[in-house]
mmCIF file of all heavy atoms in Angstrom:
data_model
loop_
_atom_site.group_PDB
_atom_site.id
_atom_site.type_symbol
_atom_site.label_atom_id
_atom_site.label_comp_id
_atom_site.label_asym_id
_atom_site.label_seq_id
_atom_site.Cartn_x
_atom_site.Cartn_y
_atom_site.Cartn_z
ATOM 1 N N ASP B 225 34.902 -1.462 1.184
ATOM 2 C CA ASP B 225 36.192 -1.325 0.491
ATOM 3 C C ASP B 225 37.311 -2.159 1.102
ATOM 4 O O ASP B 225 38.472 -1.927 0.842
ATOM 5 C CB ASP B 225 36.639 0.149 0.447
ATOM 6 C CG ASP B 225 35.693 0.994 -0.387
ATOM 7 O OD1 ASP B 225 35.188 0.482 -1.407
ATOM 8 O OD2 ASP B 225 35.469 2.155 -0.023
ATOM 9 N N ASP B 226 36.984 -3.136 1.926
ATOM 10 C CA ASP B 226 38.021 -4.003 2.495
ATOM 11 C C ASP B 226 37.667 -5.473 2.274
ATOM 12 O O ASP B 226 38.074 -6.343 3.033
ATOM 13 C CB ASP B 226 38.196 -3.721 3.989
ATOM 14 C CG ASP B 226 36.912 -3.922 4.777
ATOM 15 O OD1 ASP B 226 35.876 -4.236 4.151
ATOM 16 O OD2 ASP B 226 36.931 -3.784 6.019
ATOM 17 N N GLY B 227 36.915 -5.707 1.208
ATOM 18 C CA GLY B 227 36.439 -7.051 0.933
ATOM 19 C C GLY B 227 35.144 -7.383 1.632
ATOM 20 O O GLY B 227 34.596 -8.483 1.444
ATOM 21 N N ASP B 228 34.656 -6.464 2.449
ATOM 22 C CA ASP B 228 33.402 -6.659 3.171
ATOM 23 C C ASP B 228 32.291 -5.918 2.415
ATOM 24 O O ASP B 228 32.170 -4.697 2.507
ATOM 25 C CB ASP B 228 33.536 -6.122 4.597
ATOM 26 C CG ASP B 228 32.259 -6.314 5.419
ATOM 27 O OD1 ASP B 228 31.300 -6.911 4.903
ATOM 28 O OD2 ASP B 228 32.238 -5.852 6.580
ATOM 29 N N SER B 229 31.510 -6.642 1.671
ATOM 30 C CA SER B 229 30.391 -6.054 0.936
ATOM 31 C C SER B 229 29.200 -6.985 1.025
ATOM 32 O O SER B 229 29.349 -8.183 1.317
ATOM 33 C CB SER B 229 30.771 -5.799 -0.529
ATOM 34 O OG SER B 229 31.062 -7.023 -1.192
ATOM 35 N N GLY B 230 28.032 -6.450 0.778
ATOM 36 C CA GLY B 230 26.848 -7.295 0.860
ATOM 37 C C GLY B 230 25.580 -6.489 0.878
ATOM 38 O O GLY B 230 25.466 -5.471 0.188
ATOM 39 N N LEU B 231 24.642 -6.932 1.712
ATOM 40 C CA LEU B 231 23.301 -6.368 1.727
ATOM 41 C C LEU B 231 22.939 -5.893 3.130
ATOM 42 O O LEU B 231 23.205 -6.590 4.111
ATOM 43 C CB LEU B 231 22.291 -7.432 1.282
ATOM 44 C CG LEU B 231 20.890 -6.952 0.924
ATOM 45 C CD1 LEU B 231 20.911 -6.214 -0.414
ATOM 46 C CD2 LEU B 231 19.925 -8.144 0.849
ATOM 47 N N ILE B 232 22.353 -4.707 3.208
ATOM 48 C CA ILE B 232 21.698 -4.259 4.435
ATOM 49 C C ILE B 232 20.227 -4.615 4.255
ATOM 50 O O ILE B 232 19.443 -3.857 3.687
ATOM 51 C CB ILE B 232 21.862 -2.749 4.666
ATOM 52 C CG1 ILE B 232 23.331 -2.335 4.591
ATOM 53 C CG2 ILE B 232 21.274 -2.349 6.021
ATOM 54 C CD1 ILE B 232 23.533 -0.831 4.540
ATOM 55 N N PHE B 233 19.876 -5.805 4.690
ATOM 56 C CA PHE B 233 18.498 -6.267 4.548
ATOM 57 C C PHE B 233 17.625 -5.470 5.506
ATOM 58 O O PHE B 233 17.949 -5.307 6.687
ATOM 59 C CB PHE B 233 18.411 -7.757 4.873
ATOM 60 C CG PHE B 233 17.005 -8.291 4.919
ATOM 61 C CD1 PHE B 233 16.399 -8.779 3.776
ATOM 62 C CD2 PHE B 233 16.289 -8.294 6.113
ATOM 63 C CE1 PHE B 233 15.097 -9.268 3.815
ATOM 64 C CE2 PHE B 233 15.000 -8.778 6.168
ATOM 65 C CZ PHE B 233 14.396 -9.270 5.010
ATOM 66 N N SER B 234 16.505 -4.975 4.993
ATOM 67 C CA SER B 234 15.573 -4.222 5.826
ATOM 68 C C SER B 234 14.160 -4.607 5.442
ATOM 69 O O SER B 234 13.830 -4.666 4.253
ATOM 70 C CB SER B 234 15.772 -2.714 5.637
ATOM 71 O OG SER B 234 14.783 -1.976 6.333
ATOM 72 N N CYS B 235 13.343 -4.918 6.434
ATOM 73 C CA CYS B 235 11.935 -5.204 6.143
ATOM 74 C C CYS B 235 11.052 -4.675 7.262
ATOM 75 O O CYS B 235 11.487 -4.498 8.398
ATOM 76 C CB CYS B 235 11.708 -6.701 5.933
ATOM 77 S SG CYS B 235 11.858 -7.725 7.406
ATOM 78 N N PHE B 236 9.811 -4.405 6.908
ATOM 79 C CA PHE B 236 8.807 -3.876 7.828
ATOM 80 C C PHE B 236 7.636 -4.851 7.880
ATOM 81 O O PHE B 236 7.262 -5.451 6.872
ATOM 82 C CB PHE B 236 8.301 -2.511 7.350
ATOM 83 C CG PHE B 236 9.377 -1.470 7.224
ATOM 84 C CD1 PHE B 236 10.129 -1.374 6.064
ATOM 85 C CD2 PHE B 236 9.643 -0.591 8.264
ATOM 86 C CE1 PHE B 236 11.126 -0.407 5.933
ATOM 87 C CE2 PHE B 236 10.636 0.378 8.147
ATOM 88 C CZ PHE B 236 11.381 0.459 6.980
ATOM 89 N N GLN B 237 7.048 -5.006 9.067
ATOM 90 C CA GLN B 237 5.899 -5.888 9.238
ATOM 91 C C GLN B 237 5.115 -5.499 10.473
ATOM 92 O O GLN B 237 5.651 -4.863 11.375
ATOM 93 C CB GLN B 237 6.328 -7.344 9.347
ATOM 94 C CG GLN B 237 7.341 -7.634 10.441
ATOM 95 C CD GLN B 237 8.742 -7.682 9.892
ATOM 96 O OE1 GLN B 237 9.106 -8.628 9.250
ATOM 97 N NE2 GLN B 237 9.538 -6.649 10.142
ATOM 98 N N ARG B 238 3.853 -5.914 10.509
ATOM 99 C CA ARG B 238 3.050 -5.623 11.697
ATOM 100 C C ARG B 238 3.244 -6.686 12.774
ATOM 101 O O ARG B 238 2.879 -6.473 13.933
ATOM 102 C CB ARG B 238 1.569 -5.517 11.338
ATOM 103 C CG ARG B 238 0.909 -6.784 10.845
ATOM 104 C CD ARG B 238 -0.595 -6.646 10.694
ATOM 105 N NE ARG B 238 -0.995 -5.450 9.999
ATOM 106 C CZ ARG B 238 -2.204 -5.246 9.496
ATOM 107 N NH1 ARG B 238 -3.130 -6.187 9.607
ATOM 108 N NH2 ARG B 238 -2.506 -4.117 8.892
ATOM 109 N N ASP B 239 3.805 -7.839 12.399
ATOM 110 C CA ASP B 239 3.995 -8.938 13.340
ATOM 111 C C ASP B 239 5.335 -9.600 13.032
ATOM 112 O O ASP B 239 5.508 -10.200 11.965
ATOM 113 C CB ASP B 239 2.848 -9.937 13.196
ATOM 114 C CG ASP B 239 2.855 -11.021 14.258
ATOM 115 O OD1 ASP B 239 3.931 -11.621 14.485
ATOM 116 O OD2 ASP B 239 1.794 -11.283 14.856
ATOM 117 N N LEU B 240 6.293 -9.518 13.950
ATOM 118 C CA LEU B 240 7.628 -10.070 13.722
ATOM 119 C C LEU B 240 7.616 -11.588 13.562
ATOM 120 O O LEU B 240 8.381 -12.140 12.765
ATOM 121 C CB LEU B 240 8.544 -9.713 14.901
ATOM 122 C CG LEU B 240 9.398 -8.467 14.788
ATOM 123 C CD1 LEU B 240 10.137 -8.226 16.095
ATOM 124 C CD2 LEU B 240 10.378 -8.576 13.634
ATOM 125 N N VAL B 241 6.759 -12.259 14.311
ATOM 126 C CA VAL B 241 6.737 -13.717 14.271
ATOM 127 C C VAL B 241 6.179 -14.201 12.939
ATOM 128 O O VAL B 241 6.773 -15.050 12.261
ATOM 129 C CB VAL B 241 5.920 -14.283 15.449
ATOM 130 C CG1 VAL B 241 5.807 -15.795 15.341
ATOM 131 C CG2 VAL B 241 6.567 -13.887 16.775
ATOM 132 N N GLN B 242 5.041 -13.666 12.515
ATOM 133 C CA GLN B 242 4.433 -14.091 11.266
ATOM 134 C C GLN B 242 5.209 -13.582 10.053
ATOM 135 O O GLN B 242 5.166 -14.204 8.988
ATOM 136 C CB GLN B 242 2.988 -13.592 11.185
ATOM 137 C CG GLN B 242 2.066 -14.207 12.208
ATOM 138 C CD GLN B 242 0.641 -13.716 12.083
ATOM 139 O OE1 GLN B 242 0.247 -13.176 11.049
ATOM 140 N NE2 GLN B 242 -0.139 -13.880 13.132
ATOM 141 N N GLY B 243 5.923 -12.480 10.219
ATOM 142 C CA GLY B 243 6.676 -11.898 9.122
ATOM 143 C C GLY B 243 8.081 -12.460 9.020
ATOM 144 O O GLY B 243 8.293 -13.591 8.584
ATOM 145 N N PHE B 244 9.061 -11.679 9.453
ATOM 146 C CA PHE B 244 10.463 -12.040 9.255
ATOM 147 C C PHE B 244 10.843 -13.380 9.863
ATOM 148 O O PHE B 244 11.512 -14.206 9.228
ATOM 149 C CB PHE B 244 11.368 -10.943 9.822
ATOM 150 C CG PHE B 244 12.801 -11.353 9.893
ATOM 151 C CD1 PHE B 244 13.584 -11.391 8.755
ATOM 152 C CD2 PHE B 244 13.378 -11.728 11.102
ATOM 153 C CE1 PHE B 244 14.913 -11.801 8.810
ATOM 154 C CE2 PHE B 244 14.701 -12.121 11.174
ATOM 155 C CZ PHE B 244 15.472 -12.158 10.027
#
Side-chain angles (χ1 to χ4, degrees):
D225 295 324
D226 58 358
D228 181 3
S229 63
L231 194 73
I232 308 169
F233 173 89
S234 174
C235 70
F236 301 85
Q237 55 262 286
R238 65 172 47 165
D239 188 312
L240 266 175
V241 176
Q242 294 181 18
F244 169 76

